[in-house]
Amino acid sequence: MCGIFAYKGEKTNAAELVINGLKKLEYRGYDSWGVAFKTDHKISIHKEVGKIGEFDVSTLREKMNVPIESQMAMGHSRWATHGGVTKANAHPHYSQDESIAIVHNGIIENFAELKKELQGKGYEFRSETDTEVVAHLIQEYKSLGHVEAIKKALSRLQGRYAILVLCAEDNRLIAARRGSPLIIGKGEKEFFIASDIPAFLEYTRKVMYLDDDQMVIINDDAQFFDLKTNKKIEKRIVEIDWNPESAEKGEFSHFMIKEITEQKETITRAINQDETKLMKIADEIKNAYGTYLVGCGTAGKVCLTASYLFAKIAKRHVNVAFGSEFPSLQDFITDRSLVIAVSQSGETADTLEAIEVAKKKGAKVLSIINVEGSSMDRISDYSINIKAGPEKAVASTKATTAQIAILTLLAYALDKRLEEGKILLVNTASQINDMLNPRYEEHILQLAQKIQDVESMYVIGKGVNYPIALEAAIKLQEVSYIHAEGFAGGELKHGPIALIHEGVPCIAIVANDETKHEIISNAMEVKARGGYIIGISPESNDVFDYWIKVPEVGAASPIVNIIPIQILAYQLAVLRKNNPDMPRNLAKSVTVK
Ligand code: M6R
């Protein structure tokens, strides 16, 4: 949530470089943006409301009407939390005397008290944000020297933050974090600081991770400090294996369709894991007194899918909780529990909090993540990288199926049938490769054109495909903005069937398994009340008004069933003139609670 990017080095176009890098982080927040850069003893700031992706960087000089040559700059792309979407609320924020500027990702929970205190001392606030208090607080302690002033200000904050500070009288770039990500990229005589790696991937793949309660001071080198002990820390440089192209749209019109298409390869990559490690993790699940799968949004639906997979494939019961709900279960967590956190970004605040709660109880934690070096990756006892590559569209697609693939494999490992699981998933990957072709997309487009103006639609599934119906609804909601809901087919008759009327589209996910007959009966019940049935199934059926064929892949059916719905959601978004990559009100990585 919110993208942060900063540069310090020998290049003299720091401001423009930062704007271009921020464009690559726009998926983290896109309601407004701003950049600050330092020239001699002055910090200049430019802010705008709207998407940074639409800004022509060559107009910066003209718009600012000041020299923009600078070797140190920082910028921010905002997802509003405190205060509306206005230029004044966009970051960076100046201190009162404009000698300090800051950008911030996170929430300062005690900002109201601090604001009152600072107002009492004569500070005037130019924005409604929680962030501005930090700039004024640093100014308040300026007599201590910049570094000590920042430390002192940070010590007064409650909440989560990733903060970057520029000081007019200091050539150092200073950053600190608690709970929100910051990664340092090390180039040749230059450094980058960003909330996500794609911002600087074109310059360097050498990274260092800032951990909670740590500060980095960038001058000619990067010095790291522990804010609690005040001691210097040595950081390991990690080489990232993402290539810059993997974070670009290339020939595709949107990241979402690029990432959907990449599912031709991502399942194969995901299941290519160290088997000894998988078997060790399977043993941990077996020996745990209570396994809890935890995730948010789509990742939460993946967790629910996995609970069915574990039951079906390994005859093993596991518990499922959304990250935000997990703290309510903490009384059941002990040092013999295992928590499996599922997260694309590895930075979702609610899931991170669940991990913190679990760790306090002494539970072991396995994270299934897509971003190596993310907070979850680093604080967990074990982690599995799903290797889907950068996922930039807000709507998760390739990460979702890669997560399901890994969890399917784990279920087979738990039942000591790892090889069988691998064969199933390799076959599934090859069937997806055949399925994803222009003809298939055209067939789904015809459906999208037919239903693009509906007000509501429903998705039903049963067994392991019930959570897929829930996930389908999220996909449709977030990019098409059509009211969509997912139900267990058998639940319709207990209430939701009252919503069905003539012409309402209802997607029935019909797997070729023991649930088939019942879900077909549920579809018939909807059809009898005028519903328009869209069947997602390996086989056609008379009840379907529109049939989208998916390959027959046995226990891996959740993976293939969600793909046509991802395509449908994408096409509906485009037909309805929505931006599928940056849906309204959302952000890719939800790092606030
Ligand atoms: O990065 P995470 O997987 O932890 O993110 C969790 C959710 O915020 C995420 O899945 C969200 O629901 C997606 N936008 C859904 O497409």
Side-chain angles (χ1 to χ4, degrees):
M1 213 141 246
C2 301
I4 289 179
F5 184 44
Y7 172 82
K8 175 167 168 57
E10 294 194 334
K11 296 190 174 80
T12 53
N13 62 339
E16 288 147 312
L17 186 150
V18 160
I19 293 175
N20 286 332
L22 261 187
K23 288 185 181 189
K24 299 188 175 140
L25 295 187
E26 195 172 21
Y27 56 91
R28 298 181 65 91
Y30 35 82
D31 55 45
S32 51
W33 63 274
V35 63
F37 55 90
K38 185 172 140 38
T39 44
D40 293 330
H41 302 285
K42 184 173 165 19
I43 298 170
S44 304
I45 292 183
H46 180 74
K47 309 199 229 188
E48 294 207 4
V49 167
K51 294 190 169 71
I52 192 170
E54 288 160 9
F55 182 73
D56 177 358
V57 79
S58 66
T59 63
L60 183 68
R61 184 184 303 273
E62 185 193 324
K63 287 202 165 169
M64 291 198 69
N65 210 12
V66 293
I68 59 167
E69 283 67 29
S70 165
Q71 295 183 310
M72 181 156 72
M74 66 181 183
H76 184 274
S77 183
R78 181 171 186 241
W79 186 86
T81 58
H82 292 62
V85 179
T86 63
K87 208 164 158 176
N89 289 337
H91 301 213
H93 292 285
Y94 274 129
S95 59
Q96 177 112 327
D97 62 5
E98 301 195 355
S99 70
I100 293 153
I102 77 158
V103 294
H104 164 226
N105 173 17
I107 290 181
I108 308 300
E109 288 160 7
N110 58 336
F111 89 98
E113 297 144 56
L114 293 171
K115 186 170 180 174
K116 218 167 156 193
E117 177 187 320
L118 288 160
Q119 279 170 329
K121 292 184 174 164
Y123 286 87
E124 281 170 22
F125 282 74
R126 304 174 221 206
S127 77
E128 303 153 301
T129 63
D130 52 337
T131 303
E132 198 182 345
V133 293
V134 188
H136 296 321
L137 259 188
I138 299 173
Q139 179 186 326
E140 176 65 12
Y141 300 129
K142 219 163 115 181
S143 59
L144 300 173
H146 287 129
V147 173
E148 290 311 311
I150 296 168
K151 284 185 188 165
K152 173 98 179 161
L154 294 178
S155 73
R156 300 217 42 212
L157 306 183
Q158 285 163 19
R160 305 169 87 86
Y161 57 76
I163 279 177
L164 257 62
V165 189
L166 282 189
C167 302
E169 301 300 335
D170 197 324
N171 268 334
R172 297 170 294 179
L173 175 62
I174 301 174
R177 79 162 260 181
R178 184 193 294 156
S180 299
L182 275 184
I183 300 143
I184 290 85
K186 184 181 178 339
E188 277 297 315
K189 297 191 179 161
E190 59 189 4
F191 287 92
F192 307 85
I193 307 183
S195 31
D196 212 346
I197 293 165
F200 55 71
L201 207 48
E202 68 179 284
Y203 302 104
T204 183
R205 286 200 262 163
K206 289 187 179 138
V207 307
M208 293 173 280
Y209 296 100
L210 198 63
D211 287 308
D212 279 350
D213 296 305
Q214 290 183 354
M215 173 185 264
V216 60
I217 302 176
I218 311 260
N219 206 355
D220 294 336
D221 59 358
Q223 294 195 333
F224 294 82
F225 296 90
D226 184 318
L227 285 169
K228 284 187 173 154
T229 61
N230 238 337
K231 288 209 172 106
K232 215 173 149 185
I233 311 165
E234 288 307 319
K235 282 278 171 185
R236 198 165 62 91
I237 298 179
V238 181
E239 188 106 16
I240 294 296
D241 66 359
W242 287 358
N243 61 43
E245 294 76 43
S246 64
E248 299 296 339
K249 270 202 299 247
E251 75 212 41
F252 294 89
S253 15
H254 297 100
F255 279 107
M256 184 174 176
I257 191 67
K258 175 188 180 235
E259 289 158 9
I260 290 172
T261 310
E262 282 174 356
Q263 290 172 111
K264 287 179 173 190
E265 303 110 37
T266 45
I267 306 296
T268 318
R269 274 212 307 268
I271 59 172
N272 186 8
Q273 299 285 343
D274 174 349
E275 295 190 3
T276 317
K277 179 173 160 189
L278 284 183
M279 290 312 295
K280 169 126 189 50
I281 291 170
D283 277 346
E284 291 283 0
I285 300 173
K286 193 165 281 167
N287 298 330
Y289 275 53
T291 298
Y292 294 77
L293 281 152
V294 183
C296 299
T298 289
K301 306 302 174 286
V302 169
C303 291
L304 199 54
T305 309
S307 71
Y308 282 87
L309 291 167
F310 278 51
K312 197 167 165 176
I313 299 166
K315 309 281 174 278
R316 183 84 192 181
H317 169 74
V318 290
N319 306 280
V320 179
F322 296 132
S324 55
E325 292 297 319
F326 184 81
S328 307
L329 302 178
Q330 59 182 299
D331 287 345
F332 305 113
I333 311 297
T334 71
D335 58 0
R336 301 183 78 180
S337 313
L338 173 70
V339 168
I340 305 182
V342 180
S343 173
Q344 188 283 129
S345 61
E347 299 292 351
T348 299
D350 288 330
T351 311
L352 275 170
E353 190 194 18
I355 295 178
E356 279 159 24
V357 166
K359 285 185 76 123
K360 273 196 192 127
K361 294 275 183 168
K364 283 210 173 117
V365 177
L366 158 68
S367 284
I368 298 183
I369 42 89
N370 190 33
V371 181
E372 200 177 337
S374 56
S375 302
M376 282 181 216
D377 184 18
R378 284 173 300 127
I379 62 176
S380 301
D381 299 288
Y382 304 96
S383 41
I384 300 180
N385 185 341
I386 62 170
K387 304 181 200 165
E391 189 182 68
K392 293 184 86 176
V394 165
S396 178
T397 55
K398 61 175 179 173
T400 311
T401 50
Q403 288 161 347
I404 301 174
I406 294 279
L407 285 155
T408 308
L409 204 58
L410 265 183
Y412 275 99
L414 195 52
D415 204 41
K416 300 223 175 322
R417 293 187 285 144
L418 182 57
E419 224 21 61
E420 192 184 322
K422 251 190 135 167
I423 292 167
L424 170 75
L425 290 160
V426 166
N427 173 47
T428 305
S430 107
Q431 303 255 25
I432 290 171
N433 191 26
D434 295 345
M435 177 176 104
L436 280 171
N437 59 52
R439 246 179 317 116
Y440 195 69
E441 285 180 26
E442 177 59 35
H443 179 60
I444 300 174
L445 180 61
Q446 280 169 19
L447 171 67
Q449 284 162 339
K450 206 181 284 244
I451 64 172
Q452 62 176 303
D453 295 321
V454 297
E455 273 179 15
S456 297
M457 56 194 294
Y458 301 100
V459 191
I460 57 171
K462 186 170 171 61
V464 71
N465 283 294
Y466 157 54
I468 296 303
L470 301 180
E471 164 55 12
I474 295 194
K475 273 311 74 87
L476 292 161
Q477 291 158 2
E478 69 183 332
V479 298
S480 78
Y481 312 154
I482 293 174
H483 168 237
E485 282 189 64
F487 297 111
E491 278 294 293
L492 283 182
K493 56 187 176 291
H494 299 288
I497 202 159
L499 298 168
I500 305 297
H501 56 85
E502 195 60 37
V504 170
C506 177
I507 300 175
I509 304 175
V510 184
N512 216 352
D513 62 13
E514 67 289 351
T515 64
K516 176 174 164 183
H517 297 296
E518 279 189 44
I519 198 79
I520 288 286
S521 301
N522 301 143
M524 282 174 173
E525 290 155 14
V526 175
K527 188 160 179 143
R529 284 149 184 94
Y532 179 79
I533 308 297
I534 300 151
I536 304 235
S537 176
E539 287 168 4
S540 180
N541 191 288
D542 286 346
V543 73
F544 300 158
D545 294 298
Y546 204 94
W547 175 41
I548 302 174
K549 188 173 178 183
V550 286
E552 168 60 70
V553 289
S557 72
I559 299 176
V560 295
N561 287 339
I562 193 61
I563 294 176
I565 303 171
Q566 296 169 346
I567 299 171
L568 178 65
Y570 169 76
Q571 289 169 339
L572 284 168
V574 174
L575 287 170
R576 291 163 65 95
K577 310 229 177 317
N578 304 339
N579 180 344
D581 288 346
M582 285 179 251
R584 67 184 179 206
N585 306 338
L586 295 173
K588 180 68 181 162
S589 181
V590 186
T591 55
V592 293
K593 289 190 354 113

